[in-house]
Amino acid sequence: MRNQILLGGGLAMLPTALLQAKPPELQDAASRLSKFYTVSQALLRPLPVNTRLDHRVAARLLAALNSEYPSFPQQLDLLPDDPGADDRYSPVAQLIVAAWFLGTVDKTLVTFERALMYRLTADIFPVPSYCTGKPGGWASAPVAYSGGV
């Protein structure tokens, strides 16, 4: 009877152990995403004011880069976590920086609102295509700017 109870308790713990174990593919994807995020932060340092890289955008950019450029995972593995001056001009580094700033990978739109090119002027200009005034504000004439340069 005691053996049956121990066996039953052990079987009850099995699903928990299985849920905690990650398949190798998932571990590889998580480590590659971590590497991509770390390298991106290093390449984009210093970032525009009040800008943090979004983990969700990083995952989508990495998926698009892997899809568009089959050799990208191997090239990313060769790039150090803290790229030096020479590494910053490598083709893979340029792909990463372009993807973050433009929000696209080749012809695939990954993000529009979170593209870093809009962060540089965010204090003055809103992200294009978003209404900045009240509804119907476009119907009245714009206010003339009378300030100096």
Side-chain angles (χ1 to χ4, degrees), residues 44-115:
L44 296 168
R45 193 176 317 133
L47 284 169
V49 177
N50 297 328
T51 300
R52 283 186 280 155
L53 299 182
D54 189 334
H55 285 282
R56 292 173 297 177
V57 173
R60 293 173 53 206
L61 284 173
L62 180 60
L65 286 164
N66 288 338
S67 173
E68 189 63 36
Y69 305 101
S71 66
F72 183 79
Q74 293 81 21
Q75 293 175 1
L76 180 63
D77 288 340
L78 296 174
L79 203 60
D81 286 348
D82 192 11
D86 293 338
D87 297 321
R88 290 178 176 270
Y89 296 106
S90 69
V92 68
Q94 290 177 359
L95 278 175
I96 293 170
V97 171
W100 277 105
F101 267 90
L102 300 176
T104 61
V105 174
D106 198 30
K107 294 181 179 171
T108 304
L109 176 65
V110 175
T111 183
F112 181 76
E113 181 182 6
R114 301 242 182 235

